[in-house]
Amino acid sequence: MVPYHRCDAGLPGIVLYCPIPPTQHFLRAHNKINPCSVMKSSPKLLFCLALAFSSIGSSYVAAEEEIAEEEELRRITAVFVNEHPREEIELFWVNPELEEDDPERLIHEATLAPRGGSHHSETFESHEFAYEYNGEMHYIVADRPNANDEQLIVLNGADEGIRVRCEISLGSGKNSDYLDILVQPYWAPRGAVRFLELVRMGYYDGVVFNRVVPKFLIQFGIAKDYDTRTEVRDVAIWDDFDAEIAFEPGFVSYAGTGPDSRTAEIFIVMPGTSEEQLARFGKNDWETPFGFVEGDLQNLSKIYSGYGDMPPWGKGPDSQLIYAEDGYTTYLPKNFPLLDSIQTCYVVDEVGLYSAEEL
């Protein structure tokens, strides 16, 4: 379908509906040209005049139908996030009608700061964009918006993942070690970006492993600070599309309560989980995995699990009581003093990069 634009012909009683070539359609979508001025200065005007003076009635109806179709083109918001630890990223949208070596093929859209810098682009579904990452050009298409007409796109090049290290206590604090979580932003972009954002703000520092069930899962994510956990609890993110990735021991996902309910609570699949249970993980939209524990999973089994599952399946810590104001000051130390916890989490490639203003 070739889109039309309504233009003033400069003649009494005549309005032109000029066909807009794809190149100009893209430019118009990004508010970079006035299609009428382009049409009037080009041979396309002859075609418009032909439409106007020959079979005006039928041409007018056809043009109106085309305009109606154009208005039905899905406008979306593409949200781009730069997860490079150090470098800014230059984002471009691509003019598909020009050759790859044409200097005007890439139109600059925005400059994104590293470590979570973002840009919102008001565009149409299926527009193509490009960016350079570690010296290599990458091309992406905004072709999968959600029900809210928004698509989040992580700019991470061809990197294998983003490594987050969590230094943890083991055996009720008798020992310490770490877990390396390799975040996979292309599996679940929204989940990955939110997790990295929380890690960068120190949200998980001091958090207890409040639900530890051998051969099932470990759950954590209720912040130690009352104001922080209360604020973050009220900020839920939209679900990611199902990436159809089968769960395995060590996989990491959000512990949601329903559609679009993910906030900060995370679970990790324990070693020894049955195939039957593994198949049940991910059945809900909010359980799309966004990463996995890298390497040996032995440390997961060393995290204290003696209190059992949470109510109503066991007598372990009650999440709702942890969220209360005295959750960390009274409830946990009085009733569950042996819980292990996270000492700190950080993005490995970003160590030493934060300025005093960012800390």
Side-chain angles (χ1 to χ4, degrees):
M1 190 263 296
V2 178
Y4 280 73
H5 190 85
R6 181 171 177 159
C7 300
D8 181 7
L11 299 173
I14 299 297
V15 176
L16 304 182
Y17 291 88
C18 303
I20 304 174
T23 302
Q24 294 169 6
H25 185 48
F26 283 141
L27 289 167
R28 185 186 63 163
H30 288 75
N31 299 316
K32 300 191 182 295
I33 67 163
N34 180 334
C36 291
S37 62
V38 173
M39 289 299 170
K40 289 179 182 178
S41 61
S42 74
K44 293 291 183 182
L45 178 59
L46 296 177
F47 180 68
C48 292
L49 289 173
L51 285 178
F53 287 108
S54 102
S55 303
I56 289 179
S58 60
S59 297
Y60 179 85
V61 171
E64 286 286 9
E65 291 176 351
E66 292 284 6
I67 291 170
E69 289 183 30
E70 179 192 354
E71 291 174 350
E72 292 175 4
L73 286 175
R74 189 173 183 184
R75 289 182 177 272
I76 67 170
T77 300
V79 182
F80 299 91
V81 181
N82 175 13
E83 290 297 354
H84 196 290
R86 298 174 178 80
E87 303 295 333
E88 293 182 337
I89 285 181
E90 304 299 335
L91 177 69
F92 305 87
W93 66 267
V94 180
N95 183 341
E97 292 202 336
L98 300 181
E99 299 294 331
E100 289 189 8
D101 58 354
D102 192 313
E104 297 184 359
R105 185 170 185 259
L106 301 181
I107 308 299
H108 188 263
E109 175 85 10
T111 300
L112 283 71
R115 303 188 293 280
S118 63
H119 169 70
H120 290 62
S121 178
E122 302 301 323
T123 185
F124 288 102
E125 186 176 5
S126 297
H127 274 194
E128 185 178 26
F129 294 82
Y131 67 99
E132 184 176 350
Y133 192 96
N134 289 339
E136 182 179 350
M137 289 300 298
H138 298 267
Y139 294 84
I140 47 179
V141 178
D143 61 352
R144 206 177 184 193
N146 63 13
N148 302 288
D149 294 326
E150 183 178 293
Q151 180 174 352
L152 191 148
I153 300 172
V154 177
L155 308 182
N156 197 50
D159 284 5
E160 63 177 9
I162 301 167
R163 186 170 288 101
V164 170
R165 175 163 294 181
C166 293
E167 299 177 1
I168 63 174
S169 70
L170 298 172
S172 299
K174 297 176 182 177
N175 299 295
S176 61
D177 211 324
Y178 63 85
L179 299 174
D180 277 350
I181 298 174
L182 196 62
V183 177
Q184 302 289 303
Y186 300 138
W187 288 5
R190 292 184 190 280
V193 166
R194 182 56 172 161
F195 177 69
L196 292 170
E197 181 181 29
L198 292 169
V199 167
R200 291 180 179 119
M201 65 181 276
Y203 177 86
Y204 294 104
D205 297 358
V207 166
V208 296
F209 294 105
N210 58 289
R211 186 184 185 192
V212 185
V213 185
K215 298 183 179 181
F216 183 35
L217 58 75
I218 288 178
Q219 188 168 319
F220 62 94
I222 304 175
K224 187 174 184 179
D225 179 73
Y226 173 70
D227 291 335
T228 300
R229 65 177 177 264
T230 301
E231 179 181 353
V232 170
R233 188 185 190 185
D234 291 334
V235 181
I237 61 173
W238 290 326
D239 292 335
D240 284 293
F241 286 110
D242 183 4
E244 298 184 356
I245 297 171
F247 273 78
E248 299 176 15
F251 273 36
V252 184
S253 179
Y254 283 84
T257 57
D260 301 328
S261 65
R262 299 179 297 172
T263 56
E265 291 194 60
I266 306 298
F267 73 84
I268 303 174
V269 181
M270 286 286 270
T273 299
S274 69
E275 291 297 326
E276 182 181 7
Q277 178 58 54
L278 289 174
R280 282 198 288 265
F281 285 129
K283 294 297 184 182
N284 299 314
D285 292 340
W286 55 92
E287 286 184 358
T288 303
F290 65 85
F292 57 87
V293 174
E294 195 175 28
D296 191 348
L297 303 182
Q298 186 177 8
N299 278 342
L300 294 175
S301 300
K302 296 179 181 179
I303 296 172
Y304 185 78
S305 61
Y307 294 122
D309 204 349
M310 62 187 291
W313 304 283
K315 297 182 179 180
D318 186 327
S319 297
Q320 300 307 313
L321 296 179
I322 303 174
Y323 274 109
E325 189 169 3
D326 67 345
Y328 271 83
T329 57
T330 303
Y331 174 67
L332 287 177
K334 179 180 178 180
N335 299 286
F336 306 99
L338 300 180
L339 290 177
D340 280 311
S341 63
I342 296 173
Q343 292 150 10
T344 185
C345 287
Y346 51 87
V347 181
V348 173
D349 288 341
E350 297 176 6
V351 173
L353 295 179
Y354 298 100
S355 65
E357 292 78 11
E358 291 177 294
L359 295 174

